[in-house]
Amino acid sequence: MSAVPAAPPVRAGAVVPVLASAGITVALMQTLVIPVIPELPRLLNASAGSTAWAITATLLAAAVATPIMGRLGDMYGKRRMLLISIGILIAGSIVAALSNSLIPLVVGRALQGFAAGVIPLGISIMRDELPSERLGTATAQMSASLGVGGALGLPAAALLAENISWHALFWVSAGLGVIIFGLVVRFVPESAVRSGGRFDVLGGVGLSIGLVSLLLAISQGGDWGWASAPTLGLFALAVVTILVWGWWERRTSEPLVDLRTTARPQVLLTNLASMVFGFAMFAMSLVVPQLLQMPKATGFGLGQSMLASGLVMGPSGLIMLVTAPLSAKISAARGPKLTLMLGAIVVAAGYGVGSIFMGSVWEIVLVSLLIGAGIGLAYGAMPALIMSAVPVSETAAANSFNTLMRSIGTSVSSAVAGVILAQLTINFGTYTLPSENGFRLVLIIGAAAALVALAIAACIPTRPKDTA
């Protein structure tokens, strides 16, 4: 591996905000281009289907990078992989900022997606370096940064896109990356906890093929047709590849993902709950911006600008930061299982309220605050559940796999919501728009998903075996 700057001594007061800021910066990449997606076909002289790759490429790259960077972090140093991930983010941002056509933009967005491993790596560094009394709050804040960055990215991106240019989105993200890189060099230590060993190349290739096939089929199935040959072929390839990958991982001496550890009830059920929770979380991001920007003449749209709709989403990100320390306190007092269950209840309540009250901006703000609070509680509990059930030497890989499960959930959520909103429509002049019933149904499904996550969380064992 290439050399990285020497690590500084541990400064617990600086490590947490630096790593949390790195997580928020990386999470910003998820929603960075959402405000300009409708304009990209004109800006890049490409079709709407082609410009959708500006989001799809980031999703696929993140899915591949997250488990691989986690394993490399356990083997060769978490800070080293953290700096490499941030460096790739900076490179991708610069490529996208300089682009004026589709292919360079998609390449840049894919490189930005490769930085997704920052959040699980950051959680793992915290476990290695922080005193036990600070670990719960710190990991809760780091885990919640995934939702915080996604929520704050919408108003920030809309502000830049409306008042400067779409290229500014990527120049700003490059600048943020440079700042975070410098802060990590200055304040974040390199952990002495390493597993060593040989990287499982075949496992990395197999998991990458399986994940890309699965997520590509999910994300593009609505456009290609769910019964089309490409979609069914990709689903079949994903199933076969993941089965073969699992067979290989059980037999190799140094697997990319230790499936024996992953199969422990606490880890398995937490990952399942995370995937369902990812589904529930993303429903809000799909419904609220569209509902806010829908014309008032439809009878249910709120007629807000792109910037105004982004600002409405912003408070949900801030409430996640506020509830993350609360999540840690509840977990310390009553256990992270209860915290995860409480988060699921709050999210389900938020979606339930939203399915009834969505006729004004203040109602949407209230709903997004409820859902954001629940996400903050739940996301803060997930790392605690994972880390209490895996060896210290596998922390990064285990947290990375948990993050991957959330991403798969959000991808499925996007596909399901897309199908519903495409089927339940109204005619508005010459346009076909999603109907009010379509939005309500997506919100109800979000509530149901949160209740499923609650049921799964209730089955998580309360006394895992000691793995220290």
Side-chain angles (χ1 to χ4, degrees), residues 178-221:
V178 170
I179 293 170
I180 294 299
F181 189 96
L183 291 174
V184 171
V185 169
R186 179 69 179 85
F187 294 108
V188 177
E190 179 60 273
S191 171
V193 180
R194 300 188 188 184
S195 63
R198 177 178 55 85
F199 182 72
D200 179 15
V201 176
L202 286 178
V205 171
L207 184 59
S208 299
I209 293 173
L211 288 174
V212 169
S213 301
L214 175 64
L215 295 178
L216 191 57
I218 291 172
S219 62
Q220 299 297 312

Side-chain angles (χ1 to χ4, degrees), residues 5 19 25 64 98 141 166 172 182 187 200 210 239 251-252 282 316 372 398 424 461:
L19 291 176
T25 299
V64 170
L98 294 173
Q141 290 175 333
W166 67 276
V172 170
F187 294 108
D200 179 15
V239 171
R251 283 156 180 77
T252 186
F282 205 61
S316 66
L424 299 178

Side-chain angles (χ1 to χ4, degrees), residues 270 273 277 336-344 377-378 381-382 385 457 460:
T270 301
F277 220 96
K337 171 183 174 179
L338 178 66
T339 312
L340 179 58
M341 293 173 66
L342 180 60
L377 289 171
M382 290 171 189
L385 285 164
I460 296 174

